[in-house]
Amino acid sequence: MKKLLLGALAACCALHASAAPVEDFIGTWKLERTTVPNYVVIKQEGDRLVALRYTRNVLTNKITERRFPASYANGDVTIAAGETIIEARSVNDVATVTMLAEAYKKISSSTATPTS
């Protein structure tokens, strides 16, 4: 029984150890299946993580930016997004970003501000 328990504990620890590293989240993520600019950028600013959401304002045709503090733990990035729900987590050891149930696809490792 003791060996079984230790084996289960080791397997559990191995799962967390293989979760996506924070570097897998850093970059520019674009909403899939759309041509309208709608991006989430996760980047490192000093010793902090920050998530930036860029969307085009349909009235002014300008891109707006919203900033959210973020932190990384156990393969997930927690984003304090207020009424905007942004989830960044490791799914099968692959970093994924979703917002309001829409999937974002990583388009670069760059963290530059999207311009279009």
Side-chain angles (χ1 to χ4, degrees), residues 4-43:
L4 180 63
L5 184 59
L6 289 174
L9 181 61
C12 179
C13 292
L15 284 175
H16 282 292
S18 65
V22 68
E23 291 82 11
D24 288 357
F25 292 97
I26 293 173
T28 302
W29 300 77
K30 184 179 186 302
L31 182 63
E32 292 181 342
R33 302 178 309 276
T34 184
T35 58
V36 177
N38 194 343
Y39 297 87
V40 173
V41 175
I42 298 174
K43 66 181 184 176

Side-chain angles (χ1 to χ4, degrees), residues 72-112:
Y72 173 83
N74 298 325
D76 292 342
V77 174
T78 301
I79 299 168
E83 74 280 4
T84 302
I85 300 169
I86 302 171
E87 292 183 343
R89 62 183 39 163
S90 176
V91 177
N92 297 325
D93 300 334
V94 176
T96 64
V97 171
T98 60
M99 186 170 64
L100 302 175
E102 296 176 308
Y104 283 70
K105 180 178 181 182
K106 191 169 186 183
I107 60 171
S108 78
S109 59
S110 164
T111 55

